[in-house]
Amino acid sequence: MTESITVLNWNLEKGINLEAGARWVREQRPDLFFQQEVQPDQLARLSELLEMDGHIAVPRPGSSNDNAIFVRPGGPLVCTEEYPQAWAPWHAPANIAVRLRDADGALSPRQISAVSAHCCYWSPELRLTEARWCTTLAKPGWLAVIFGDWNSYRVGTDIRWDDYTDHAFVANRTYEHAGRRHTDVGPDRELLAAGYVEMARHAAEHLGQPDALAPTSGYRDHPGRPPGPRHTIDRGYLSAELAPTLTSYEVCDTPQLRRLSDHLPLRATLDLARLRDVLHATPAMYRPTDARTDHEGATRA
């Protein structure tokens, strides 16, 4: 019997190495797979290659790099709703609700909002807007798992921008304040302020897994930028209530994976028994009430 839930995330660069990338993902047997940079005509083919059910974000003008989430059919998680997020200023996030399938086939009373995001590469202001939308899923009693290419950095990241002669890249990844450029850590700060737990930090600090903080991008040489992997712009977050279910988190790094994309895949493993306890707990949370009932539930005339 399955004792854990496997979740993968991968920005597979513009879907170029579609078949090889999907083959690697399928071999990992994930229960949930979050992907960025899916091309408009690739969802059906990806679903076939992955042997998973795909849910893609609504298209937005300006870019064809879409976000998607895939769910393993017959697995422990079931997609129960899909939410179009057409408000998005750049890439719309893919957003579905999943519930846990119990041994008797019944679904858990609580759901998890799953989000695959790809923040705007050229605007810290839009990235902050995109992160702020994610905070709407952090209300008391709500549960969320969010993966994305944030195109920004962790709070506390120190980057020597003087080493870059690609000034457009510097402008894209920083903001101006008091006469100098500052590294954009806005999305991370906003998500942490909302109460989310960043999985890599949690794994490093509480699970004895320091390699969880390894760089996820920079595996292509770009003129004007220092060579080699340097930073973690791909990150996963979850609701604090879900943090005790996380048992491992890793940046998957092999020569093959570095060839397939300019980002590396992320793998999170959740303990199934702990997850079941959370999804069957009764939280304190706001629920809309029927105007015909009073606070004790008595039907009004």
Side-chain angles (χ1 to χ4, degrees):
M1 180 178 176
T2 301
E3 297 181 353
S4 62
I5 300 288
T6 299
V7 183
L8 292 181
N9 178 81
W10 199 3
N11 180 338
L12 189 57
E13 187 179 13
K14 298 188 183 299
I16 295 171
N17 293 305
L18 175 74
E19 300 213 0
R23 186 160 51 248
W24 181 85
V25 171
R26 187 178 67 243
E27 290 170 356
Q28 313 311 305
R29 293 280 296 161
D31 299 294
L32 276 180
F33 173 44
F34 297 67
Q35 187 176 343
Q36 297 82 47
E37 299 201 8
V38 177
Q39 301 306 295
D41 59 346
Q42 291 183 339
L43 184 67
R45 180 62 175 148
L46 273 167
S47 296
E48 178 184 13
L49 290 168
L50 295 168
E51 298 178 353
M52 301 180 77
D53 296 329
H55 306 271
I56 198 163
V58 294
R60 300 292 296 139
S63 178
S64 61
N65 293 331
D66 291 324
N67 300 301
I69 303 175
F70 298 85
V71 184
R72 181 161 64 88
L77 296 175
V78 178
C79 175
T80 53
E81 289 189 76
E82 186 169 1
Y83 308 104
Q85 301 296 347
W87 60 268
W90 187 237
H91 302 299
N95 180 202
I96 64 174
V98 295
R99 296 178 188 265
L100 187 65
R101 192 198 316 268
D102 290 330
D104 61 359
L107 299 183
S108 61
R110 300 177 72 185
Q111 68 180 28
I112 298 173
S113 292
V115 178
S116 177
H118 189 178
C119 284
C120 181
Y121 76 87
W122 48 266
S123 170
E125 291 80 15
L126 292 184
R127 289 193 289 270
L128 194 56
T129 295
E130 291 161 332
R132 281 176 172 157
W133 172 78
C134 293
T135 69
T136 67
L137 303 177
K139 298 180 187 301
W142 294 21
L143 301 171
V145 173
I146 303 169
F147 277 94
D149 173 356
W150 301 94
N151 277 318
S152 56
Y153 307 94
R154 287 191 181 103
V155 171
T157 300
D158 183 20
I159 299 176
R160 292 174 52 91
W161 292 110
D162 290 345
D163 293 341
Y164 290 72
T165 58
D166 182 348
H167 299 299
F169 182 77
V170 175
N172 295 158
R173 296 296 178 86
T174 64
Y175 62 94
E176 194 275 335
H177 178 69
R180 61 183 293 261
R181 306 300 300 186
H182 297 265
T183 300
D184 181 23
V185 298
D188 185 49
R189 179 181 289 122
E190 202 75 5
L191 293 169
L192 297 178
Y196 287 116
V197 172
E198 198 228 320
M199 296 185 211
R201 278 193 190 93
H202 182 83
E205 295 173 4
H206 301 286
L207 302 178
Q209 300 170 11
D211 289 346
L213 297 171
T216 66
S217 64
Y219 298 92
R220 298 285 188 272
D221 290 333
H222 293 273
R225 306 182 202 176
R230 300 176 67 82
H231 303 296
T232 302
I233 64 173
D234 307 274
R235 298 185 299 275
Y237 297 82
L238 42 64
S239 302
E241 196 176 353
L242 291 172
T245 74
L246 184 70
T247 59
S248 68
Y249 185 90
E250 64 178 310
V251 180
C252 305
D253 188 357
T254 68
Q256 176 206 18
L257 294 173
R258 292 192 182 197
R259 287 193 298 270
L260 292 179
S261 181
D262 56 345
H263 296 253
L264 291 176
L266 310 174
R267 179 193 285 116
T269 305
L270 308 179
D271 181 270
L272 181 57
R274 294 178 190 172
L275 184 64
R276 180 173 288 110
D277 288 344
V278 172
L279 292 177
H280 282 268
T282 302
M285 61 187 295
Y286 170 79
R287 297 180 186 277
T289 57
D290 190 324
R292 295 169 298 176
T293 62
D294 62 21
H295 68 281
E296 294 179 345
T299 302
R300 292 175 180 167

